Amino acid sequence: VVATADALVEEIHFRRDWTGPEDLGWKALAVNVSDILAMGGEPFAALISVALPSATDPGWVEALYQGLAACAEEYDCALVGGDTVGSPERIFLNVALLGTAEPGRVRTRSGARPGDRVCVTGALGDSAAGLALLRAGSHAYPALLDAHRRPRPRRLAARALAAEPAVTAMMDLSDGIASDLRHIVTASGVGARLDAGALPLSTAARAAAADLGADPIEWALRGGEDYELLFTIRPEAVARLPRILAGTGVTATAVGEITAAGYLLVGPDGREEPLAPEAFAHFHA
Amino acid sequence: VVATADALVEEIHFRRDWTGPEDLGWKALAVNVSDILAMGGEPFAALISVALPSATDPGWVEALYQGLAACAEEYDCALVGGDTVGSPERIFLNVALLGTAEPGRVRTRSGARPGDRVCVTGALGDSAAGLALLRAGSHAYPALLDAHRRPRPRRLAARALAAEPAVTAMMDLSDGIASDLRHIVTASGVGARLDAGALPLSTAARAAAADLGADPIEWALRGGEDYELLFTIRPEAVARLPRILAGTGVTATAVGEITAAGYLLVGPDGREEPLAPEAFAHFHA
């Protein structure tokens, strides 16, 4: 059994005017599904705790549960219980998710070794682009808004990667690769060098960044909420990735390598600088 | 695997001036431990989600985790993860707890049959008495305050009862027997008759009720948070209860019986009235 939990607080993690209740329900469960899948597990049962102000519209709550149920159905897990309580002002939502995992397929953050390649699935920064569009009051680029509101965890890719012995560590990208890769580095007792120029960006994210005067690499590094897979793989297996991921509907991109020590970002100009998990890096602007 | 979750919201479920952080941590985990034990399970892993305003004193948070850890140690489960996030105003605490249960020992709410006796462990109303004392600003009767602040789930009694085939349904008392027995009645498709005069009340609760001008039977019926065990048992096994519970440090009291239909309270005067789960009953005042 593997387990995870994620808490969402109104005004901190979501705003009711930016995210509808059905999308919120979907996302609250999906982010946990993503975490279980990235460990090599399969979700099976969710416990939903929700604290609601007494003035909450019952239709809003019903739509929240519709979103939860839609995600549960999509990922074959059951909503088995939880708790519903009152709250003075804000909505709180906690999802605890249980999954099963075959011991041989469990992937943690601690298996990365120097020489491994750092890879990600899909494109990075779409969710941050969607959030930036919402903040700007724009509803252009529906795919980016959708990436932010309704993330789709990479089930087939996670299964394929968890079955591959050359994959040494895996997690999902929730906070942005600059922060999440640090967890692998710390847990594995290694270093990493990330190549900013190699980060996979969607055409839509590049276009939205141009519209908003924003930096899409910054979105990819620190925007968060992509729910793509971040994994390390033995270098000799990188060439096999297209075969490993065949039929999963997703491709992977090598974006860096595991080193003995240090935590560095290589800019598009080849210059190296410390990779700050939180603060903004400006050299690529 | 059995699982449960319980959410606590500041100002709704606790007040920081009435409950210290260590007691709050203990109680947040204990109420889930109680639920797992009452299903015939044994807790093994807890996920703690906590949302904290930025102004929260770090010492308060540390003490909260000390209380959680103390309860986890007492009941042999591990704090394996969870989530820590920000909150605009209130503290929000969710505990999701996993347990294991041998299939033959799982007890649910749906096994009660007409003729079964309704029984409870320990005394009822001590926690409500403790809360009433706190509300009145009284610190008399430390055992009652302790019952409210630091409930001690009935592990040995739950194990003994779950191993007894004559026990047909079991749950823990969290909301008060007037409300909780209703869950067994509904899930089992039966009725129940509860004998107000048989409810076990502690000497301390009776004395505190006299001091405060309160009704201790009301505390026992609807006060909640006793975390004693509520169970139904075949009538011929009631006489064996002292032997079944030998060595568990707790006794059980028969307080009613399962009927074909209806949900009734028998007053000390023998008069029957509908047993209201929530509203106040006044005939015994």
Side-chain angles (χ1 to χ4, degrees), chain B residues 232-260:
Chain B
T232 58
I233 186 168
R234 299 301 301 154
E236 62 274 14
V238 171
R240 284 197 290 114
L241 274 172
R243 246 185 303 151
I244 294 167
L245 292 173
T248 66
V250 65
T251 57
T253 307
V255 296
E257 66 178 325
I258 296 296
T259 58

Side-chain angles (χ1 to χ4, degrees), chain B residues 108-120:
Chain B
T108 68
R109 302 168 180 189
S110 63
R113 285 176 283 167
D116 287 355
R117 294 295 181 271
V118 176
C119 299
V120 297

Side-chain angles (χ1 to χ4, degrees), chain A residues 124-180:
Chain A
L124 304 187
D126 280 8
S127 176
L131 179 61
L133 289 165
L134 287 169
R135 280 193 171 133
S138 165
H139 286 76
Y141 308 103
L144 299 179
L145 300 178
D146 200 51
H148 180 68
R149 288 169 165 164
R150 228 169 161 94
R152 290 170 199 283
R154 299 296 196 184
R155 176 161 51 175
L156 298 178
R159 284 180 187 163
L161 291 166
E164 170 55 53
V167 171
T168 52
M170 183 157 65
M171 65 181 292
D172 69 327
L173 283 165
S174 60
D175 297 336
I177 191 170
S179 171
D180 290 327

